[in-house]
Amino acid sequence: DGGITQSPKYLFRKEGQNVTLSCEQNLNHDAMYWYRQDPGQGLRLIYYSQIVNDFQKGDIAEGYSVSREKKESFPLTVTSAQKNPTAFYLCASSPFGTGSEQYFGPGTRLTVT
Amino acid sequence: SQQGEEDPQALSIQEGENATMNCSYKTSINNLQWYRQNSGRGLVHLILIRSNEREKHSGRLRVTLDTSKKSSSLLITASRAADTASYFCATVLDTYSGAGSYQLTFGKGTKLSVIP
């Protein structure tokens, strides 16, 4: 059963704590992405990775970090430096990298209080 | 970075009617994509249309692209209650203008409600 999984679905954290969101895919895709979605808004790109051991900042990378040690996994850490971390986080992958269609996970809703 | 803008922001129709959503963008694109998002879920890719294409169909979906007007439309024919969702257009630039240029840039979406 191929696809992208994100865990957990809901995550609650206290302000000042770092938190890591999981994203795993078994689609054998090279490229992976992290987006943030705020209520009533479109998606904004946080980080993306075209290949293992390489990743690039997107439009809103400040306060976030990523790693890409395995093709299947692209975890996102929301650090305490992120000023407004409460949001819906979406992970995606694509088979052909730049500009091709993307396949999305179900998302993680992070609430920081 | 460039962003597509969908119009209208919200649309409410009766089941069986057609739904039309529009997307406008600012600079030249390589391709434009439409995605659907059910409430609280991930996005699902619907159609990709390249800059040298004018129209594409997929089942009940029809997408047009007018590069001279920098606009695209998504038509859903014979709508069903299950079509209720938010619909997003996303653009990919065709020229480099800094990091992330060739990545998708999403609009804010059109929220479609189909009333049974």
Side-chain angles (χ1 to χ4, degrees), chain B residues 8-83:
Chain B
Q9 290 186 341
L11 180 61
S12 184
I13 59 174
Q14 295 291 129
E15 203 165 29
E17 293 181 338
N18 294 344
T20 299
M21 288 156 267
N22 302 296
C23 172
S24 59
Y25 56 91
K26 297 188 178 99
T27 57
S28 295
I29 59 169
N30 173 278
N31 71 70
L32 184 146
Q33 303 177 31
W34 285 92
Y35 289 81
R36 184 187 76 231
Q37 183 181 33
N38 289 88
S39 182
R41 309 288 290 272
L43 278 70
V44 174
H45 180 262
L46 297 176
I47 286 185
L48 182 155
I49 187 164
R50 302 192 186 283
S51 59
N52 61 353
E53 298 175 309
R54 291 297 167 257
E55 190 170 310
K56 284 188 89 168
H57 296 256
S58 176
R60 293 183 296 113
L61 306 181
R62 172 180 169 248
V63 168
T64 61
L65 179 65
D66 187 333
T67 53
S68 67
K69 294 182 180 177
K70 293 186 172 59
S71 68
S72 173
S73 67
L74 169 66
L75 169 67
I76 304 174
T77 59
S79 64
R80 305 166 181 168
D83 295 327

Side-chain angles (χ1 to χ4, degrees), chain A residues 1-5 24-28:
Chain A
D1 193 19
I4 302 178
T5 57
E24 303 278 330
Q25 55 101 356
N26 60 3
L27 300 168
N28 200 33

Side-chain angles (χ1 to χ4, degrees), chain A residues 23-82:
Chain A
C23 177
E24 303 278 330
Q25 55 101 356
N26 60 3
L27 300 168
N28 200 33
H29 289 172
D30 284 317
M32 297 186 74
Y33 310 82
W34 273 106
Y35 294 92
R36 170 186 172 132
Q37 185 177 32
D38 293 286
Q41 301 295 310
L43 279 63
R44 290 184 290 169
L45 183 63
I46 305 173
Y47 268 98
Y48 63 100
S49 169
Q50 305 274 45
I51 199 167
V52 174
N53 292 323
D54 185 56
F55 48 83
Q56 306 294 329
K57 291 181 180 180
D59 296 324
I60 55 165
E62 186 175 347
Y64 300 97
S65 66
V66 293
S67 62
R68 187 87 187 275
E69 297 174 2
K70 299 188 299 181
K71 189 175 186 177
E72 303 80 17
S73 178
F74 190 40
L76 172 75
T77 296
V78 184
T79 75
S80 56
Q82 168 49 232

Side-chain angles (χ1 to χ4, degrees), chain B residues 6-12 21 109-113:
Chain B
E6 292 89 344
D7 172 62
Q9 290 186 341
L11 180 61
S12 184
M21 288 156 267
T110 291
K111 191 166 185 177
L112 173 66
S113 298

